[in-house]
């Protein structure tokens, strides 16, 4: 029997424990709920949680490790979970008395659930980092770290003698991200200033959700837009006539479309930050005779600048990790060039390409994806830490 069926049985056992716990508490108090230490529902929840939590933990552990211990006996984990749940529920049921502190017991169990949920993100991040570090160590045992970090040629050959220099990929990543930020930051910031300082409530109610719709469009759609529309336009009307490119896939194509995608990230965060500037600063500026534009330039933007910088850095980390727009818009050529109308590629694209297809997972040509991944992780982590540092350092000055 699949473990999912035991989850249903576990939920049924917990529901039965809730009903029986309430009934026993009411009977123990002689039908007078005021004689109980806690509300009647807490006695039911205490038995229900006492049944559910041990059972689900046993099921989770059996799903992770039990198959290797007992082979195909998947039902054994469910039986153990139900047995543990029944024993725990019986102990909680037997402890019910008018003076039993059921509320304290329930709150302790709920606190444990909250601590576990808050730890999931930390444990997941730790697991990701450790898994990438392990595979990265295996890669550097087969390939020179100096050639990887300082090499200028990227030519993986699964037959051997590969050149796996990271610099062309890092250059393409930073180049595309720079163009994207050059598009998104001015447009997003000016849009935020207009929405927060100039727009009427009616216009703001329509314009802000319309801008935020851009954030909900799948990146593959942006990639198709870059491939079919933006790329040919740049090639036919700019790169071709100027003689600086003949391909619809280029850094400029991916950068422009990615910049459009990042506009709501910059505008929404900046708009919230500008609105958080105290009204007293605006009133004081107007009282000194400053115009609205002077107030925005000399008071509001400087006051909100740390938050705006943080929003820009968060948008930059989003741009660095983008894949689909780059695949369809910028191509897959790993090269060092200053011409924005030439095809290039990024770290994320090569991570995908090195891990797809029928490849030897133990070869350096495949393991290099993990070295690229940990490099990208460190890069984005540094940007996020810098953004949080700037926001936290200067935020209290304007509260």
């Amino acid at each position: 029997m699949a473990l999912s069926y035991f989850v249903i049985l576990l939920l049924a056992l917990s529901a039965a424990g809730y009903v029986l716990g309430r009934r026993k508490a009411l009977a123990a108090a002689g039908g007078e709920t005021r004689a109980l230490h806690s509300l009647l529902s807490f006695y039911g929840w205490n038995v229900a949680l006492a049944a559910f939590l041990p059972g689900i933990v046993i099921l989770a552990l059996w799903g992770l490790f039990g198959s290797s211990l007992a082979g195909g006996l998947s039902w054994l984990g469910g039986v153990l979970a139900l047995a543990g749940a029944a024993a725990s529920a019986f102990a909680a049921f037997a402890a019910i008395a008018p003076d039993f502190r059921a509320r304290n017991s329930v709150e302790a169990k709920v606190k444990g659930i909250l601590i576990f949920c808050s730890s999931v993100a930390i444990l997941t991040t730790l697991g990701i980092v450790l898994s990438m570090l392990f595979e990265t160590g295996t890669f550097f045992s087969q390939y020179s770290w100096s050639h990887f970090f300082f090499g200028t040629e990227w030519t993986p050959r699964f037959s051997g003698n590969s050149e796996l220099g990271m610099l062309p990929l890092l250059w393409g990543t930073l180049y595309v991200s720079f163009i994207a930020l050059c598009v998104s930051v001015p447009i997003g910031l000016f849009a935020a200033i207009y929405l927060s300082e100039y727009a009427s409530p009616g216009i703001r109610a329509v314009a802000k959700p319309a801008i935020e719709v851009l954030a909900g469009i799948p990146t593959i759609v942006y990639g198709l837009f870059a491939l079919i529309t933006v790329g040919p336009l740049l090639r036919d009307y700019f790169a071709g006539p100027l003689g600086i490119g003949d391909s619809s896939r280029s850094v400029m194509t991916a950068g422009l479309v990615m910049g459009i995608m990042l506009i709501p990230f910059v505008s929404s965060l900046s708009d919230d930050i500008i609105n958080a500037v105290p009204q007293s600063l605006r009133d004081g500026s107007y009282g000194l005779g400053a115009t609205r534009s002077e107030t925005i330039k000399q008071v509001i933007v400087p006051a909100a600048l740390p938050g705006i910088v943080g929003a820009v850095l968060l948008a930059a980390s989003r741009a660095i990790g983008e894949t689909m727009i780059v695949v369809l818009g910028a191509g897959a050529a790993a090269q060092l060039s200053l011409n924005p109308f030439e095809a290039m590629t990024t770290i994320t694209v090569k991570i995908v390409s090195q891990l797809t297809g029928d490849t030897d997972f133990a070869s350096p040509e495949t393991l290099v994806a993990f070295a690229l991944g940990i490099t990208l992780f460190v890069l984005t982590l540094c940007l996020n830490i810098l953004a949080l540092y700037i926001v936290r350092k200067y935020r209290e000055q304007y509260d």
Side-chain angles (χ1 to χ4, degrees):
M1 181 183 290
L3 294 181
S4 58
Y5 295 110
F6 288 101
V7 173
I8 298 175
L9 294 176
L10 184 61
L11 291 174
L13 179 61
S14 301
Y18 177 82
V19 174
L20 294 176
R22 284 173 57 97
R23 289 184 177 180
K24 182 178 180 181
L26 188 61
E32 183 58 55
T33 57
R34 288 181 295 181
L36 296 173
H37 175 273
S38 306
L39 293 176
L40 184 61
S41 60
F42 282 112
Y43 292 89
W45 279 115
N46 183 55
V47 178
L49 291 175
F52 181 77
L53 294 180
I56 200 66
V57 169
I58 295 174
L59 283 177
L61 293 177
W62 188 267
L64 290 175
F65 308 108
S67 59
S68 60
L69 298 176
L73 301 178
S74 61
W75 57 269
L76 183 59
V79 172
L80 292 175
L82 290 178
S88 179
F90 179 78
F93 183 80
I96 292 178
D99 59 344
F100 177 67
R101 298 176 179 270
R103 184 185 66 181
N104 295 355
S105 179
V106 171
E107 289 179 349
K109 292 180 176 65
V110 172
K111 182 180 178 180
I113 295 173
L114 296 177
I115 292 175
F116 170 76
C117 292
S118 62
S119 303
V120 168
I122 299 174
L123 295 176
T124 302
T125 303
L126 182 62
I128 292 173
V129 173
L130 291 178
S131 63
M132 287 196 300
L133 284 176
F134 177 78
E135 299 296 343
T136 301
T138 305
F139 167 72
F140 285 129
S141 66
Q142 303 179 24
Y143 193 83
S144 171
W145 65 270
S146 59
H147 290 168
F148 173 75
F149 286 109
F150 303 107
T152 59
E153 184 179 353
W154 177 269
T155 53
R157 306 181 186 91
F158 287 94
S159 59
N161 299 322
S162 298
E163 293 292 337
L164 303 175
M166 185 192 67
L167 289 182
L169 309 183
L170 182 62
W171 170 250
T173 300
L174 297 178
Y175 204 173
V176 173
S177 301
F178 174 75
I179 294 176
L181 292 178
C182 287
V183 174
S184 61
V185 172
I187 296 177
L189 181 57
F190 292 155
I193 293 174
Y194 171 75
L195 290 175
S196 60
E197 301 298 325
Y198 290 98
S200 64
I203 295 177
R204 177 182 172 84
V206 175
K208 186 174 176 63
I211 294 176
E212 292 177 348
V213 166
L214 293 175
I217 299 176
T219 56
I220 186 65
V221 176
Y222 280 111
L224 293 174
F225 176 64
L227 178 64
I228 297 174
T229 304
V230 178
L233 285 177
L234 292 177
R235 178 195 60 197
D236 297 338
Y237 294 96
F238 292 95
L242 295 175
I244 54 177
D246 56 0
S247 175
S248 60
R249 296 186 175 184
S250 64
V251 173
M252 184 64 70
T253 300
L256 288 177
V257 177
M258 191 184 301
I260 296 173
M261 181 195 69
L262 295 177
I263 288 175
F265 291 90
V266 178
S267 64
S268 295
L269 292 175
S270 299
D271 178 56
D272 295 337
I273 292 164
I274 291 173
N275 284 324
V277 175
Q279 184 62 33
S280 59
L281 295 180
R282 297 177 174 85
D283 296 338
S285 178
Y286 294 145
L288 293 174
T291 63
R292 178 178 292 182
S293 61
E294 290 172 338
T295 300
I296 294 172
K297 182 175 66 176
Q298 300 180 12
V299 177
I300 296 176
V301 172
L305 186 60
I308 293 173
V309 173
V312 171
L313 292 177
L314 291 176
S317 64
R318 176 70 178 83
I320 290 173
E322 177 54 41
T323 303
M324 293 310 303
I325 295 177
V326 180
V327 170
L328 298 178
Q335 59 178 331
L336 293 168
S337 175
L338 291 175
N339 186 357
F341 292 97
E342 289 186 3
M344 297 185 195
T345 191
T346 62
I347 292 176
T348 55
V349 173
K350 289 305 177 184
I351 291 176
V352 174
S353 64
Q354 296 305 115
L355 292 177
T356 54
D358 187 12
T359 59
D360 182 10
F361 199 79
S363 66
E365 289 77 15
T366 300
L367 293 173
V368 70
F370 295 96
L372 294 173
I374 198 67
T375 303
L376 192 65
F377 176 83
V378 172
L379 183 61
T380 55
L381 180 63
C382 291
L383 285 176
N384 290 331
I385 292 174
L386 180 60
L388 293 174
Y389 171 77
I390 293 174
V391 172
R392 291 179 178 178
K393 181 176 178 60
Y394 297 101
R395 178 181 53 194
E396 296 297 330
Q397 296 184 8
Y398 310 107
D399 284 350

